[in-house]
Amino acid sequence: MSSIDRVIADGSVHSVFQPIIDLDSGAVVAYEALARGPQGPLATPDALFGAAREAGLLAELDQACRVAAFRGAVEHGLLAPLTVFVNVEPEVLDTAPVDDLLALAAGAPGELRIVLEITERALATRPAELLRTVDRVRALGWGVALDDVGADAASLAFMPLLRPDVVKLDLSLVQKRPSPVIAEIMNAVNDYAERTGARVLAEGIETPQHLTIARALGAHLGQGWLFARPAAGPAERFPVASLTLPDPVAAGAVDQPSPFDCLPPGTQLRRSPKRLLVELSKQLERQAMRLGETCVVASTFQEARHFTPATAQRYRDLVARTGFVCALGEDLPLEPVPGVRGAALAADDPIRGEWDVVVVSPHFSAALLARDLGDDGPDMERTFEYALTYRRQTVVAAAHSLLSRVAPAVGPVPAAAPAAAPASPPPGARPAAVVAPAAGEPLLQRALAASTSGITIADMRRPDQPLVYVNRAFEELAGYRSEELLGRNCRFLQGADTDHDAIGRLRSAIAEGREVRETLLNYRGPDRSEWWNEIYMAPVTDEDGRLVQYIGVQNDVTAQVEAERALIRERDRAQSYLARIEELAYTDSLTGLVNRRRFEERVEVELWEARGGDSALAVLFMDLDGFKAVNDELGHAAGDQLLVQVAARLKARLRRSDLAARLGGDEFLVSLQGLDRASARREADRVAEQLRAAIAEPYDIAGQPVRVTVSIGVATFPEDDAEDFRSLLHRADVRMYAAKHGR
């Protein structure tokens, strides 16, 4: 078996636990279980999950991590009133049954309080399965946390639907400089927390400044290396308290057959022909477009025939601008247009008789919920009873009802969706009249027909601005005969990868009646082969100045675009080579740590910043004890392997803002920046002691146990009053030498 096979089979995966602190009381209220592998190349989470992903064993490893988390929590007494946060690997939900998440629930002790951590990626991939799982988890008394909020706008879109008890802010929110984006995220998070009582948890608190930012962002809870690093057992120095979570929220739609049934008793229902509901639906779609990536849109269309080409185009725009879009109806495919999610509906599903449009975002919620009354007659005159509601609880319940039907995401989407695919006119239908140049202008008519550029004329006075003239060159460009082109809007030549910004510029120009030139990705013929279309469009007005037509001149510039892209690829390749050369110039090739040159540059910058501010920094000079004996007894290859493992331990135990370097041979350097001046020396000595203990742990080198120790010298600025990096390094070197020789 491979190494990862053995790790999973032997139960070698274990958990370390990082405390979660109540920022008001300073008490530890919970621990997050973090997976670790056995000592060696699979010790770190990145290496562990990377190996499992490569071996196709991600689900098995994820299950092993949960077993380790439960077992470790019980073993170390992390029971009530404490809570344990357990992560779920999002990729597992793509392939593994979600029932596996509950496999340990029956055997877990009653005193073990669990919060399940998930991300918006899992909900977007398998919404129906995960929503059911969350409801079942809550039935077991577990809590739910939404992880990495702020890393992606979609997390804000799904927050109202998932109803998390804990909102975990991505570490970038406390570690990066405040920005309008962070302000938008916190506006949404604090609004949700205020309405629901959810707890806000800030991750990545590593400095007092991070703690200040976390409090300013509205966090109730915090975790990070400022409080404690992950360890095998509890952090004894903190008092213990209970984590208070909001009262369980009823799912609302779980027991409701359809969105329309989510309307509360006594809701006033109105009656309307379909014509009005079409406009109400479009208005909600426009509102969703304005809300952007933090918005979820869920709709029903009764039957596939109601999802018209015009509707398909609007939903393409929704996919490009919002966080998640689904469209359900009888015989609608699992992906009605690229990016729009669908469902396989049962024959008796009540939503087949409904027309629903639901829009949910952090600050806005609205739903059009309508039921067909079964009228005969013209389609646009069919009568529905409906309610237009803005009650958040009702809207969220309706969205929950629809998302609980959505099928899991599948592989790559087809190049074009059926609703937008070109089709020949129905039998017996007459093509739209061709508008040729006026009589008496045969020369102009022959010129248009003979042009090697594609020429089109669109009638702006008719619905959907159809083509009313095409020349032979355009037929060849489009891959269709004139009878398949006339009467249609040119947008059917576009696809999922056509630039939405370019489309937007075209539409704006047409709306304003002005000339426009763009280069668009189009698709040719029934096989949908790609070609790049350089299009120039000019308006035509009548005697009264009213816009009546648009003339388009179109050329295939695929060769030119591909040549430009090839040049860009060559430029990017050259830049990557330069970046790699620079990396080699600044990186130790054996350990992957930075070398002295880059370390010196970074510390000089840190010194400059510390002089101008009120922070401190420390440099640690480290020299291994016993390394020569390993080289002499086991050979230089074994010595190199030992140096690599030492470097890995250094990186694993330092903050993201710290820096480790290999000076040469068995000497290493570490810089600690952003320290508090009053406690810089104590903090540096504490880190040095932790590094001594970590490096002193045994190593597995070529199948043999090996032990080395390390001597460390510490110098701090401004306490040591060093003028530059060299003087600071010299003081650390002298102290390392004294430590090594017992002086």
Side-chain angles (χ1 to χ4, degrees), residues 151-218:
D152 190 310
S155 60
L156 301 179
F158 285 116
M159 193 164 57
L161 295 168
L162 193 61
R163 313 179 317 281
D165 308 295
V166 179
V167 178
K168 296 191 70 176
L169 304 181
D170 186 73
L171 58 86
S172 64
L173 270 66
V174 299
Q175 294 187 356
K176 288 185 177 180
R177 189 181 301 274
S179 67
V181 173
I182 291 179
E184 179 185 8
I185 293 166
M186 292 318 305
N187 194 358
V189 169
N190 283 295
D191 173 63
Y192 172 80
E194 186 177 42
R195 283 188 289 102
T196 64
R199 308 287 281 170
V200 179
L201 192 164
E203 295 185 287
I205 300 176
E206 298 179 351
T207 67
Q209 293 87 348
H210 293 166
L211 177 58
T212 300
I213 293 297
R215 288 182 177 277
L217 292 175

Side-chain angles (χ1 to χ4, degrees), residues 541-606:
T541 57
D542 63 12
E543 302 83 18
D544 298 323
R546 291 175 298 189
L547 179 65
V548 292
Q549 293 176 334
Y550 251 97
I551 293 180
V553 180
Q554 310 184 52
N555 290 285
D556 187 342
V557 292
T558 303
Q560 176 183 331
V561 171
E562 290 179 348
E564 291 171 352
R565 291 189 165 191
L567 287 173
I568 293 172
R569 287 194 297 270
E570 287 302 317
R571 182 200 63 193
D572 293 344
R573 186 178 294 112
Q575 290 176 343
S576 69
Y577 289 153
L578 291 173
R580 178 58 178 159
I581 291 170
E582 182 179 1
E583 179 184 348
L584 291 173
Y586 288 107
T587 304
D588 175 57
S589 59
L590 176 63
T591 63
L593 299 178
V594 300
N595 59 17
R596 172 175 172 149
R597 180 181 175 189
R598 175 50 62 91
F599 187 85
E600 180 175 352
E601 290 178 356
R602 287 279 298 274
V603 172
E604 288 289 3
V605 173
E606 292 166 13

Side-chain angles (χ1 to χ4, degrees), residues 433-442 444-446 448 457 468-470 549:
V434 176
V435 178
E441 299 183 17
L444 177 58
Q445 184 175 8
R446 289 197 300 271
L448 291 175
I457 300 176
V468 292
Y469 174 80
V470 297
Q549 293 176 334

